[in-house]
Every structure is written in structure tokens, then in C-alpha cells.
Amino acid sequence: NAGVMQNPRHLVRRRGQEARLRCSPMKGHSHVYWYRQLPEEGLKFMVYLQKENIIDESGMPKERFSAEFPKEGPSILRIQQVVRGDSAAYFCASSPGFGTGELFFGEGSRLTVL
Amino acid sequence: TQLLEQSPQFLSIQEGENLTVYCNSSSVFSSLQWYRQEPGEGPVLLVTVVTGGEVKKLKRLTFQFGDARKDSSLHITAAQPGDTGLYLCAGAITTDSWGKLQFGAGTQVVVTP
């Protein structure tokens, strides 16, 4: 399956711990987007990255959240000192380039903070 | 605050009936997309509309983009149980932000045999 791969699919953390979510885009895709889906709400844009560059992070909370997309390896969304309000489904999407008209979403990582 | 309002939030119909889902906004979008999401999975793109007044058909699904590019509708003819899912509309404000989508909260459609 050459689709967008996210792991872990489910992650449980206690308040104050760190959560790391990984996303491997589709083969040949160099653009990655992270979205968050809270219960009963639509998906919210968080950040847009290209290899080694953050293009748009206007949807990222100012503190505790960071994202990277290194030259080699998956994109990582990192949440430090998690709180219960961080519990959500985090989706990664990829595209082959800018303006290509389609985002391919992964199956998501579901974070539960106890 | 949702930039895109979807209605209804929930729709339950019998197999063979028709249904329409609406997506409305006070903002103008350069493009609008419809996705379907199954439980435990990511959204899957159904269609992209970019021109005001545009109508696209995908088998039994008809998508329309409003003339002013502020609203859209999804119509399903003769619904089948396989159409059950969460339908999401998503818009890009500008062509430069095409991947930075504003999503509606979704319409949960349930089609019973």
C-alpha cells in the first residue's frame, strides 16, 4: 500500500508526557499537511511543510506543539507536556506539489490524554 | 467558529431515497472539495469544484458550487447503504492556500436497507 502512513494509530499519554506522531507521505510527495479533528468538530489545519521547511504554521498552537519534515524520514508532529484538551485525531495529508488539487489523507493517529 | 456550515448535521434515510447535504459560508472560496470519511479512517476526496455555478456528477452523486462561490451542495440519488458515512465539505480561501483547507463539521449520513 503506497498510501500516506501514520503511526502510531492510537497513542495514550498521561498529562505532562510527550506525544510524537509520525507521517510518511505517499511516494513522490514532498508536501505534508497536518490537521487535527476534535470530537464533534471539523478538521482544523495545523501546519504545512515541505522537505526541511515549514511553509505555514498558522494553525499550530503557540506553545508545546512543533512539526518537522526532515530531508530523510517521516514528518513528525510533536506535542510536549500534553493536556487533556490535546486528545484528538491527528491527520496527515500529502500532495505531490503545490496546487495539484488533491490531498491524500492518512488514517490518522488518535491521541488520548489521561 | 466554523467558516463553513454544513446542514443537516445528521441524516437518516431508507435505501432508494434521495438526499441533499448543504455547505454554506459568508466567505468566498477559490475552490471547494467534498470528502467522505469512514469511522477510524481519513477523509477521501470525492470531488473538487472551482468555478461558480459548476455542476459535477459522479455516478449517483451530484455536486454543485454556488454562483458566488460561497456555498455548495451534494445530492445523492437513490441512496444505497454503501453511501453511509461522514460527508465533509472543505474550501480553500485563495489559490495560494489550496492545501490549507477550511472544513465544515460534517454531515453524518446513514442509509438503512
Side-chain angles (χ1 to χ4, degrees):
Chain A
N1 188 339
V4 178
M5 303 300 293
Q6 289 190 247
N7 67 82
R9 293 291 310 278
H10 299 274
L11 183 63
V12 178
R13 285 287 179 264
R14 296 191 180 278
R15 281 179 296 172
Q17 292 184 318
E18 179 179 289
R20 282 192 180 218
L21 310 177
R22 289 175 290 277
C23 168
S24 296
M26 286 182 70
K27 187 176 181 180
H29 287 194
S30 58
H31 297 240
V32 165
Y33 300 79
W34 284 93
Y35 283 80
R36 177 165 65 173
Q37 188 172 38
L38 292 167
E40 308 303 323
E41 294 187 22
L43 285 93
K44 304 288 186 188
F45 168 81
M46 299 183 75
V47 62
Y48 164 36
L49 310 104
Q50 294 178 28
K51 285 284 187 180
E52 300 185 278
N53 286 302
I54 297 175
I55 307 302
D56 184 338
E57 56 181 347
S58 57
M60 288 277 273
K62 299 296 182 197
E63 297 177 346
R64 302 187 297 108
F65 284 71
S66 62
E68 62 176 9
F69 189 15
K71 186 176 181 181
E72 301 292 336
S75 175
I76 295 175
L77 179 67
R78 182 183 177 200
I79 311 172
Q80 295 178 290
Q81 299 175 315
V82 295
V83 300
R84 288 212 173 118
D86 296 333
S87 295
Y90 292 83
F91 289 94
C92 168
S94 73
S95 71
F98 181 81
T100 56
E102 182 169 4
L103 292 181
F104 295 84
F105 281 85
E107 294 183 316
S109 292
R110 280 148 186 83
L111 171 66
T112 300
V113 180
L114 302 177
Chain B
T1 305
Q2 296 285 149
L3 202 59
L4 282 167
E5 297 290 337
Q6 286 190 239
S7 62
Q9 288 183 302
F10 183 82
L11 194 56
S12 180
I13 61 171
Q14 296 277 338
E15 181 177 2
E17 294 182 335
N18 301 332
L19 68 96
T20 302
V21 176
Y22 299 93
C23 177
N24 295 294
S25 177
S26 57
S27 299
V28 176
F29 291 92
S30 65
S31 65
L32 196 137
Q33 299 181 328
W34 284 92
Y35 290 82
R36 192 171 97 180
Q37 185 178 16
E38 304 284 349
E41 298 183 7
V44 176
L45 180 67
L46 296 174
V47 78
T48 300
V49 285
V50 296
T51 305
E54 183 176 3
V55 176
K56 280 193 174 179
K57 292 192 175 183
L58 187 67
K59 296 183 180 178
R60 294 176 293 100
L61 278 60
T62 301
F63 305 86
Q64 185 162 10
F65 201 12
D67 292 340
R69 290 187 286 126
K70 293 182 178 181
D71 55 84
S72 181
S73 65
L74 157 60
H75 182 79
I76 301 179
T77 304
Q80 299 176 0
D83 294 325
T84 293
L86 180 68
Y87 288 83
L88 300 164
C89 66
I93 297 291
T94 66
T95 52
D96 288 347
S97 63
W98 75 273
K100 181 181 173 181
L101 297 171
Q102 304 283 343
F103 275 86
T107 294
Q108 181 64 52
V109 171
V110 175
V111 183
T112 54

